[in-house]
Amino acid sequence: MLIGVIADDFTGASDIANTLAKGIEPQGGLVTAQFPGIPDGPAPAGVEAGVISLKSRSAPVKEAVADSLAALDWLRAQGCRQIIFKYCSTFDSTPDGNIGPVAEALASALSAKAAVVCPAFPTTGRTIYQGHLFVFDKLLSESGMQNHPLTPMTDPDIRRFLARQCKGVVGHVPQTAVQAGVLSVAGALAAEAYKGTGLCVVDAISDADLLTIGEAIAEAPLVTGGSGIALGLPRNFIRRGEAKGGRSAFQPVVGPEAILAGSCSGATRGQIDQHAQNHPVYPIDVPAVMSGDVTPQTLAQFMAENAGRAPLAYSSGAPEDVTALQRRFVREAVSARLDTLFAETARALLAQGCRRIVVAGGETSGAVAQAVASALGSPAMVIGPEIDPGVPILTLGSEAPVALALKSGNFGASDFFAKALSIMETGQ
């Protein structure tokens, strides 16, 4: 294995796995597999990039650090030459962590200096300029992320925000240095390392910037960022003749389908509204879930009754409604109960023959992916075609494979749900 990725949630893991598998033309990418948690045994033969999906984004800091270091041990045992710590392109965290503490722990373990911090993903509108994170034309703190129920982002200055989480110095490589080219970026990072900088925010406003940064950090033991930072990394290994490039073939998956949405983002709510115009939907009543009146069997029955019609069950709402429910039932209790509901629903769906499952929301995706992988006894997920930027199809199993799509809340076009099911079935 050449590149190892430690992702702090499941949708983010799929996102960067897609980037590594796709690569850039004409070289292509690496043979990539995604793992739901740290595998018990070695990676399958031939895997060039391995992505470990953790649920460390919202975990306690000590737990997130411990899990990330355990993932690092496994990846190093597979021979990985470069490690990526992948977090969300909107830098989802809190003033206490977890991005800074995890990044510093990994940097210490790898003896890495001036490790790049770059959550930019220009294809989806995430850019960094003067150390500030933008979502399209808005600062992060004005993009809607300031209302996130778990990780509200109220400060767009990544340097300042990260400094609150870190013990060491946080550096910065500005856009002017990136525009000046590969040697300029390499020199700026070397200067930061000489000063003792631990983590270094690097500006990027285009894919061209990410390719420049990628070439400059070809030998870096640790890289941190969103999926965009991996854009140029496969090319480094392909150019050196250590990987062949290209992309694995995809075998379409047919059979019963289901859509589960647990994201409260504006993008997902819009996708639900559009899907509801032509397909059956089931709004999950959170108080009924908490009382036990809505169960996994309730959702599985709804899916079975509407098979062939792209049925969708969702727990989503406006920020003020979500806040009110969290106050009524306690945030952690609501989150845990919904995760269990979606996970057990996924198991019930598999038992009744479901073969295609689309999921929206990071926590929901983690719960569903772990349940499906456990039920199938197949920890390695093969990366298939891209549905929308940052969201590939994942397949598990060999004799009767199951297709998954794990979508971050803010990702995907308005018709994402129907399109995902169609691509799973046709490969087109």
Side-chain angles (χ1 to χ4, degrees):
M1 197 179 291
L2 302 171
I3 293 178
V5 181
I6 301 166
D8 68 356
D9 83 337
F10 278 72
T11 56
S14 296
D15 182 3
I16 196 167
N18 177 65
T19 301
L20 290 167
K22 183 172 62 173
I24 56 173
E25 296 297 339
Q27 292 93 347
L30 304 178
V31 178
T32 305
Q34 180 177 336
F35 303 93
I38 304 169
D40 294 330
V47 172
E48 296 170 325
V51 182
I52 293 180
S53 317
L54 299 178
K55 289 190 65 176
S56 57
R57 179 172 300 173
S58 56
V61 173
K62 289 184 178 179
E63 179 181 326
V65 169
D67 288 349
S68 299
L69 289 174
L72 173 63
D73 289 341
W74 185 84
L75 290 168
R76 294 176 82 177
Q78 311 312 305
C80 289
R81 305 257 297 280
Q82 189 166 54
I83 300 295
I84 305 173
F85 170 38
K86 197 281 176 192
Y87 39 81
C88 189
S89 57
T90 46
F91 211 73
D92 297 10
S93 56
T94 70
D96 295 327
N98 292 341
I99 294 175
V102 170
E104 284 194 318
L106 294 173
S108 176
L110 291 165
S111 300
K113 303 294 183 184
V116 164
V117 173
C118 187
F121 192 0
T123 303
T124 58
R126 279 71 162 165
T127 57
I128 305 172
Y129 181 70
Q130 298 290 46
H132 287 63
L133 183 53
F134 289 79
V135 178
F136 293 103
D137 62 341
K138 298 183 183 296
L139 286 165
L140 178 64
S141 55
E142 301 171 8
S143 68
M145 282 302 299
Q146 70 272 26
N147 299 317
H148 193 286
L150 296 179
T151 53
M153 297 304 297
T154 58
D155 189 348
D157 188 331
I158 299 304
R159 295 168 296 175
R160 183 170 58 210
F161 196 89
L162 194 57
R164 298 181 189 134
Q165 302 178 346
C166 293
K167 298 177 181 178
V169 176
V170 179
H172 179 228
V173 175
Q175 176 65 19
T176 51
V178 177
Q179 286 184 325
V182 174
L183 293 179
S184 172
V185 175
L189 289 171
E192 290 287 347
Y194 181 78
K195 291 190 296 184
T197 298
L199 304 176
C200 190
V201 178
V202 182
D203 287 354
I205 62 173
S206 67
D207 282 353
D209 289 343
L210 293 174
L211 293 177
T212 296
I213 297 166
E215 190 170 346
I217 57 175
E219 302 296 335
L222 175 66
V223 182
T224 86
S227 65
I229 195 60
L231 186 63
L233 300 183
R235 183 174 64 174
N236 297 328
F237 292 96
I238 295 167
R239 282 176 169 176
R240 294 196 295 257
E242 299 175 70
K244 293 182 179 179
R247 184 154 190 168
S248 303
F250 172 72
Q251 296 298 322
V253 176
V254 298
E257 76 291 356
I259 306 166
L260 302 171
S263 168
C264 298
S265 74
T268 296
R269 296 203 308 273
Q271 291 158 348
I272 292 170
D273 290 342
Q274 173 155 329
H275 195 78
Q277 294 176 17
N278 300 298
H279 305 279
V281 300
Y282 184 98
I284 297 170
D285 184 271
V286 173
V289 173
M290 301 303 289
S291 68
D293 292 329
V294 170
T295 67
Q297 289 67 38
T298 307
L299 303 189
Q301 181 178 349
F302 167 77
M303 298 297 179
E305 291 172 350
N306 291 282
R309 302 174 60 201
L312 181 156
Y314 69 92
S315 171
S316 185
E320 58 271 20
D321 297 330
V322 174
T323 299
L325 286 170
Q326 290 177 339
R327 287 174 178 168
R328 178 178 173 185
F329 294 107
V330 181
R331 184 182 72 180
E332 292 77 10
V334 172
S335 178
R337 186 67 66 88
L338 287 174
D339 281 356
T340 300
L341 174 70
F342 284 119
E344 293 305 314
T345 297
R347 290 181 181 274
L349 290 171
L350 292 178
Q352 64 191 34
C354 187
R355 299 281 304 282
R356 295 176 292 150
I357 304 176
V358 180
V359 192
E363 296 297 315
T364 305
S365 292
V368 170
Q370 286 183 315
V372 171
S374 175
L376 296 178
S378 175
M381 302 179 182
V382 180
I383 312 303
E386 186 175 50
I387 303 165
D388 276 328
V391 192
I393 293 172
L394 309 171
T395 56
L396 298 87
S398 53
E399 294 183 3
V402 171
L404 292 178
L406 309 178
K407 184 192 84 71
S408 178
N410 288 311
F411 281 17
S414 59
D415 62 345
F416 176 83
F417 294 130
K419 177 167 48 174
L421 291 174
S422 176
I423 295 175
M424 288 174 175
E425 191 171 41
T426 65
Q428 302 294 322

